[in-house]
Structures are given as structure tokens and as C-alpha cells.
Amino acid sequence: MSDILRRGRLSSTPDEDMINFTSSMSADKWIFEADVLVDMAHTVMLHEQGIIKEKDCSKILSGLLKIREEGIEELDHSYEDIHISLESRLIDIVGEDTGGRMHSGRSRNDEVATCIRIRLRDELLSLTEELSELRKALLVRASENTETLMPGFTHLQHAQPTTFAHHLVAHSDAIGRDTERIIDAFSRVNKCPLGSAAFASTGFNLDRERTRSLLGFDDLLGNSMDAVSTRDFLIESASAMANIMINLSKMAEEIIIWSSSEFSFVELDDMYASTSSIMPQKKNPDSAELVRGKTGTVIGSLMALLSLCKGLPLSYNRDLQEATPNMWRAVETTRGAVRITKGMIATMKVNTESMAEKSVLGFTTATELADTLVRTAGIPFRTAHQIVGVLARGNGKPILAEIDAVASSVLGESLSSRGLTEVMVKEALDPVLNINKRNITGGPAPDEIRRAIKIRLEELEGMQATIEGLNNGIENSMKVLFGVVESYAGKDA
Ligand code: ARG
């Protein structure tokens, strides 16, 4: 059969090079299923509005069910996109007098925009589920390590003692915000452009509300020109994904550092490690390195989306076809990275002794000692900071006599004369007591972090209920859609 798209206006056919350059077929595998849904909902509505006859509607719908079953492989891949290829297959099956009526009141412009939104919303919801799994793994490992001492760092220098739980909850909170951003993006992705046609809507009396509801969208895009042209929903989704990857790459970087011999805080499960082709002893954290590396891929996708939308005139321009592969690359990479990070976190071995041992290296208790001088001897913090700073030039384990000597030279009096005792100094230098004291909201004290974990696990349940609600909304619409489709298709049998 001749090319249903080009046969009227164009006389020459594109050669292979031109087809490869212009076709979106390879990326369109992402929207094959969505395109069938869009065709179905549009066909049902066309009939309900009296635009096509019931017998045509029934034949088209049974043809679409057959195409859905055959899968994308059966389609002719020499067409420029999935929409034309699918319509052409339908015409093969039911004939042009029937199949040729499906595209009434529609353009590929509103069609493709609807398909992308359908696939993307499913991907966003799956991603939020995976993010929640990761968050849960972080919180579970945190709850196992509420008393596991570790050095906290600033500038990658030993700073203050903390616990491994405190550190893991920090990452979990970042992932919590990432999840919220994806849910927020979902609310703008799940809007329906269908019925906008090329950009100026159509003179057919379409019921946009009906297709919106059959396809499980929460709302319509109100302006038909905006509806076909905008890809801001891709930009914001990719941006939220780039943010996720940046958070994951920070975790990955720490896993890489922590599994080095110098740190030896954690050991990855063998499943997540690789070895060397020459150095038989090597166990390398390749999965974490790839999470870090793939962050560049997602940032790249976001940059591509931003650059190709910049300066585009309204309304549809073919440039937009280049947007979607970038989105799918970001989706695939981000979802994979979230799952692998979850696996690494859930299975890694935590070296509690090594962490505890290193928690006091580099005089990490200096801040608490300075605070103790303030609280017990009543001196200003800045003066205490100076005294402890001088003491830090030593071995990091000052005794009362040394403190008094430095205080006398700085202040002109000893601190024991102001009530400081050897016990107070010892307590200030004890990392466990340091942590126990940090029990205000957000601190690492075991009781406080246990409280924090509990709240977050509850929040996670709330989040899972939200995701379930969104999934159910879509599933219910699909049930309605397929119910209607099957009842019409049955009439064709
Ligand atoms: N493959 C196209 C895309 O992804 C579909 C829309 C084509 N529209 C057009 N006016 N050429 O954007």
C-alpha cells in the first residue's frame, strides 16, 4: 500500500538516509501502548459524538485490539513515526473506508503530546515507588545503626562525631524531597492535550472531557496551541530526575570513599562489586561509580531538553521530536540508578569498629570541649574557641592542666578556678557523650534519631498511600476504557 501520509502532497519518497534522519520509530517504542490507548479513546468519543458510525467504531476498535496484541514488531518501520505506521496497519486490517476515519478531528501533534504524557506519568509513578524503596532501605539501615559512631566531615576533614544513622537519615531526607518533586511534576504531566488537533482545535464537535476521563487524566490543557507546543513538563520531570541523580551521586561518592582501604567504613556486597582483569585481589565499587557517571547522562538529557525548547516559535515544530528520546534516556537511567543504589545500601556490610575508631581522629570533640568551657567556666564562646584552637595544635587529648595553662596565657586565669574539673574535660572528649548531648530536633542523639526515623517511616506510608491513589485513579480509567472498547469491539465479531 502506498504511504498514507505522503501520497497526496508529495511525489518523491524519502531514501533510507532520509528516513533514518527523520523517523522517530526507534524512540516511539516507548509510546506504542499509549498510542493504542489514545486511538481507542478518540474512536469511542468520535462515535459517541455522532462523528463516526457505530459499525466503523466497532471495526476500528477490534482492529486496534488486534494491533495491540500483535505488538510494535508487526508495524511497518519505514514510516516516519508510530502514529502513521499504526494508522496504516489499521487501514490494512479494516480498510480505508473505515480505518481512514479514525484520525478525524485529530493531528499527530495532539496525539504525540498525549502519548508522551501517558507514558511519562506511568514512569513517574514507578519512579516514586522506587524512590520510596530506597528511602525505606536507608531508614532500615539507619535504625540498625542508631548507636554506630562515625566521624562526620566538613571539607572531607574530620569534624565532629556523629552516628551512621544520622548520616543515612540525611540522605533519606534528600530522597524524600526528590519524591515530592516527582509527585509535583506528575500533577502537571497528567493533563490532557487531546482534542487540540494541529494547534487550532477542530470544527468537529469533540468531547474533550470524555477522552480526558477515558485516558485517566486529571485535567485538560486549556489552550489548544499551548497544549501541542509545550514540553515544559519534560523539562521539569528531567530536572527533578537530574536532582535525584545528583543526590544519588553524592551517596555513590561516599560509598566509593567509604569502601577504600583508607576508610574501610563499609563493604559492598559482591553482587554490586567488580574485579580487575589483571589484579586478582581487587574488589571495586563499580556500581557506585556508574551511578556517579550516569548522573552526567541525565544532566545531559536535561540540557538537551532545555536547549531544544529555547526560542521555538509556537506551535508545533519538528524539533520537538528530539525531546522525547532525551526524556526516555533520563527515565531509564534514573530508575536504574535508584534501584541499584537501593540494592547497594540494603546489602552493604557496615564496619562499625573501624567507624567508631575513626570517630575521634582529628580531635572531633573539640567543639564540645569549647562548649563545655562556655557552660562550666562562663567564658564567651569566642574565647573558648581560641583556647581549644591552641590546644588543637597538640595531640587532641588535652588534660585539665594543659587547658589551665593555655587559659592562663589567653585569659590571665585558669579555668579550674572557674569550676572546670577533670571529669568535665573527660566527658567533653567522649564521643558517645558528645552525641547523647546533641538531642535537639535534627541531632544525632540515639533517642532523637530513633524519633526521626519513626516519623519518616510514617511519612513513607503516607507517601505510599498517595502513590497508590494515583495508580488506582489511572487503573480505574483504564478499566472503564477497556470495558467500553470491548463492548463495541464485541459488536464487530
Ligand atoms: N513523531 C512526531 C514527534 O515525535 C510526531 C508529531 C509529528 N507532527 C508533525 N507535524 N510532523 O513529534
Side-chain angles (χ1 to χ4, degrees):
M1 173 208 208
S2 68
D3 186 323
I4 57 164
L5 178 67
R6 302 174 63 92
R7 65 188 179 189
R9 177 68 179 83
L10 306 171
S11 51
S12 66
T13 48
D15 63 12
E16 210 185 315
D17 203 24
M18 177 61 183
I19 289 172
N20 288 339
F21 188 73
T22 54
S23 165
S24 59
M25 276 306 272
S26 61
D28 286 350
K29 65 176 188 292
W30 283 81
I31 55 170
F32 167 70
E33 180 75 24
D35 206 20
V36 176
L37 299 177
V38 171
D39 283 346
M40 285 173 168
H42 184 68
T43 303
V44 167
M45 180 276 297
L46 284 180
H47 167 56
E48 288 173 351
Q49 292 299 100
I51 299 165
I52 62 171
K53 296 201 179 84
E54 183 173 290
K55 80 168 184 359
D56 289 327
C57 169
S58 303
K59 279 195 179 139
I60 293 172
L61 292 176
S62 40
L64 290 172
L65 285 171
K66 182 173 156 61
I67 291 171
R68 183 167 183 260
E69 221 173 280
E70 289 173 350
I72 190 169
E73 297 73 32
E74 287 301 306
L75 295 184
D76 182 344
H77 280 59
S78 67
Y79 279 105
E80 64 179 50
D81 59 37
I82 192 91
H83 318 294
I84 287 301
S85 173
L86 209 157
E87 187 182 334
S88 158
R89 176 83 190 110
L90 179 75
I91 289 174
D92 277 348
I93 299 173
V94 301
E96 182 157 344
D97 191 41
T98 295
R101 295 174 194 276
M102 179 177 72
H103 206 57
S104 318
R106 196 177 64 173
S107 153
R108 283 180 296 164
N109 299 351
D110 59 339
E111 183 178 359
V112 71
T114 312
C115 293
I116 300 169
R117 285 169 184 271
I118 288 177
R119 180 65 196 253
L120 183 57
R121 72 181 180 193
D122 290 349
E123 295 294 330
L124 293 183
L125 290 183
S126 302
L127 175 57
T128 56
E129 281 164 19
E130 288 155 351
L131 287 168
S132 300
E133 291 286 310
L134 167 59
R135 216 175 162 212
K136 185 142 183 221
L138 286 162
L139 292 171
V140 166
R141 295 314 303 261
S143 59
E144 296 161 5
N145 286 284
T146 54
E147 319 228 351
T148 305
L149 280 182
M150 76 177 282
F153 299 85
T154 63
H155 311 270
L156 206 56
Q157 306 284 323
H158 286 226
Q160 291 180 1
T162 186
T163 66
F164 195 41
H166 191 228
H167 200 115
L168 293 174
V169 171
H171 285 307
S172 157
D173 281 7
I175 299 300
R177 288 189 298 277
D178 282 328
T179 316
E180 285 167 12
R181 269 187 283 270
I182 295 290
I183 300 266
D184 193 44
F186 176 94
S187 69
R188 279 175 295 278
V189 169
N190 202 28
K191 293 191 169 177
C192 190
L194 199 63
S196 300
F199 73 88
S201 84
T202 170
F204 286 105
N205 181 30
L206 302 188
D207 183 353
R208 289 194 65 197
E209 185 49 34
R210 176 66 168 153
T211 41
R212 175 205 69 73
S213 123
L214 285 173
L215 292 170
F217 285 103
D218 293 326
D219 206 351
L220 289 176
L221 282 157
N223 176 283
S224 61
M225 192 175 275
D226 173 53
V228 297
S229 319
T230 185
R231 294 294 183 270
D232 55 3
F233 67 103
L234 296 184
I235 293 175
E236 70 171 305
S237 299
S239 160
M241 288 178 202
N243 210 103
I244 292 170
M245 290 302 292
I246 285 167
N247 282 329
L248 295 186
S249 81
K250 289 161 72 175
M251 259 184 256
E253 172 68 7
E254 289 186 338
I255 289 173
I256 294 161
I257 296 176
W258 291 347
S259 26
S260 67
S261 323
E262 283 72 16
F263 274 73
S264 147
F265 284 3
V266 300
E267 185 181 342
L268 282 182
D269 186 90
D270 284 359
M271 157 145 173
Y272 295 99
S274 299
T275 187
S276 157
S277 62
I278 176 170
M279 298 167 281
Q281 87 287 7
K282 292 294 299 281
K283 178 170 173 181
N284 297 328
D286 290 31
S287 330
E289 289 168 345
L290 281 166
V291 168
R292 192 176 56 183
K294 283 169 191 271
T295 302
T297 304
V298 177
I299 294 173
S301 295
L302 172 62
M303 289 308 127
L305 283 164
L306 289 167
S307 347
L308 66 89
C309 290
K310 177 191 168 294
L312 280 185
L314 289 175
S315 57
Y316 180 85
N317 297 277
R318 192 69 177 272
D319 313 43
L320 293 178
Q321 181 173 292
E322 287 294 297
T324 24
N326 284 292
M327 188 70 247
W328 306 137
R329 193 173 307 118
V331 161
E332 198 164 39
T333 311
T334 307
R335 287 190 55 193
V338 172
R339 291 193 300 269
I340 296 301
T341 304
K342 183 242 154 183
M344 286 192 285
I345 299 282
T347 57
M348 72 190 177
K349 192 171 146 271
V350 181
N351 229 334
T352 48
E353 282 106 78
S354 170
M355 281 198 198
E357 221 171 83
K358 288 169 179 148
S359 69
V360 285
L361 289 186
F363 197 8
T364 52
T365 51
T367 310
E368 183 55 29
L369 180 60
D371 291 348
T372 299
L373 304 189
V374 171
R375 287 193 294 260
T376 59
I379 60 172
F381 176 76
R382 192 48 65 214
T383 313
H385 183 272
Q386 184 188 354
I387 293 169
V388 179
V390 173
L391 291 164
R393 298 178 197 172
N395 67 359
K397 290 180 190 134
I399 54 170
L400 183 60
E402 289 170 75
I403 299 172
D404 273 342
V406 175
S408 303
S409 74
V410 171
L411 268 178
E413 60 176 313
S414 81
L415 293 182
S416 45
S417 68
R418 285 175 161 250
L420 183 69
T421 67
E422 195 74 70
V423 174
M424 290 170 186
V425 173
K426 262 193 151 161
E427 284 183 2
L429 300 182
D430 180 332
V432 174
L433 296 181
N434 266 243
I435 284 160
N436 290 347
K437 279 194 182 131
R438 282 158 174 69
N439 61 358
I440 61 168
T441 306
D447 281 349
E448 167 55 18
I449 206 77
R450 276 191 277 270
R451 188 190 68 83
I453 293 170
K454 189 166 169 278
I455 292 173
R456 282 154 180 77
L457 285 170
E458 283 161 15
E459 271 172 24
L460 205 52
E461 273 178 31
M463 177 61 81
Q464 272 154 349
T466 306
I467 299 168
E468 213 179 293
L470 295 172
N471 269 319
N472 288 343
I474 294 172
E475 248 169 57
N476 289 339
S477 304
M478 291 301 121
K479 274 189 204 139
V480 173
L481 173 63
F482 277 95
V484 179
V485 167
E486 265 147 31
S487 76
Y488 280 120
K491 292 182 187 165
D492 177 49

